[in-house]
Amino acid sequence: MVLRNVELQYVCGITSKLPDTGQPEVAFAGKSNVGKSSLINALMNRKALARTSSQPGKTQTINFYHINQDLYLVDLPGYGYAKVSEEVKAKWGKMIEKYLHASPMLRAVFLLIDIRHAPSANDTAMYEWIVSNGFQPIIIATKLDKIKRSQVAKQVKLLKTTLQVVPGTPVIPFSAQTKQGRDEIWQLIEEFCGLSGEETASD
């Protein structure tokens, strides 16, 4: 994907009306501090368009990033953040649910899981919930650079087994540091969004 133009176009809070973008959208879900903003920055070749923070729960809105006037990367609020009240958690859940149900342009959902650990109960619930909403989420196993290469296959197997993923579901190990996995993710995004071969040259 040659990135000619990238901008944060819409930011939707709990009471906001979702935008009618009219273009393909791919959404990114994951628990707080799993590296969602770092992944989106890496995909967009930007250092800080998506705000990263060592403090979990930073993304509290649905953020729509417009890429090349062709498609949207949609950053959903992180889930499972312990220091947020149950009321706020419930509102974030409703926001995500509303988006999954209401966006006619949503083509795919990517679910981020930390490769270092077995998926948590929250991760499993989110996976099952996305499936129940009619999507088969693609799994991105983040923080790849934090484990040894010899551990990768074992951790990917643990992730698949714990989540009981639908057979054939892609699981992409990803590192925001080395950008490993970035090209594979873009390839899937382009396929889901029906972008032509001219758009898919590597940058």
Side-chain angles (χ1 to χ4, degrees):
M1 168 64 79
V2 178
L3 295 171
R4 298 186 305 274
N5 184 269
V6 173
E7 64 173 323
L8 174 58
Q9 193 160 60
Y10 304 107
V11 176
C12 297
I14 286 163
T15 57
S16 305
K17 184 175 181 291
L18 289 169
D20 179 6
T21 65
Q23 289 187 321
E25 299 164 13
V26 292
F28 295 86
K31 71 181 177 190
S32 299
N33 229 18
V34 75
K36 203 149 43 65
S37 297
S38 297
L39 166 72
I40 289 171
N41 282 328
L43 288 174
M44 298 189 298
N45 272 350
R46 296 295 191 273
K47 286 247 182 338
L49 193 54
R51 286 182 302 171
T52 60
S53 173
S54 57
Q55 177 190 350
K58 194 75 179 166
T59 305
Q60 300 179 15
T61 50
I62 300 178
N63 299 331
F64 290 73
Y65 296 93
H66 202 193
I67 310 294
N68 289 356
Q69 313 291 319
D70 288 329
L71 72 137
Y72 288 86
L73 303 186
V74 182
D75 185 9
L76 301 173
Y79 57 83
Y81 179 41
K83 289 188 182 172
V84 170
S85 72
E86 290 303 318
E87 183 188 0
V88 170
K89 274 191 208 167
K91 284 180 179 170
W92 287 357
K94 283 199 174 70
M95 275 172 77
I96 297 171
E97 185 171 27
K98 177 178 159 190
Y99 173 71
L100 292 180
H101 279 306
S103 177
M105 302 309 295
L106 181 57
R107 298 290 179 259
V109 180
F110 290 83
L111 178 61
L112 281 63
I113 310 277
D114 189 330
I115 198 169
R116 297 173 297 177
H117 315 293
S120 67
N122 274 328
D123 290 326
T124 304
M126 190 67 180
Y127 178 79
E128 291 170 353
W129 190 55
I130 294 169
V131 169
S132 73
N133 274 282
F135 293 93
Q136 287 190 8
I138 300 99
I139 308 298
I140 300 176
T142 63
K143 305 185 190 280
L144 175 62
D145 48 282
K146 309 282 191 199
I147 64 170
K148 292 178 181 157
R149 191 171 292 183
S150 59
Q151 295 176 291
V152 173
K154 178 179 139 231
Q155 292 304 109
V156 166
K157 187 178 177 188
L158 175 64
L159 195 153
K160 286 181 172 179
T161 307
T162 307
L163 291 179
Q164 297 183 313
V165 296
V166 175
T169 297
V171 176
I172 304 172
F174 173 79
S175 165
Q177 299 297 319
T178 67
K179 308 294 189 286
Q180 185 176 334
R182 178 182 183 270
D183 291 346
E184 291 169 76
I185 296 166
W186 263 124
Q187 194 174 346
L188 284 171
I189 291 172
E190 288 167 352
E191 285 171 17
F192 282 116
C193 293
L195 294 180
S196 67
E198 298 143 38
E199 292 291 338
T200 61
S202 178
D203 55 354

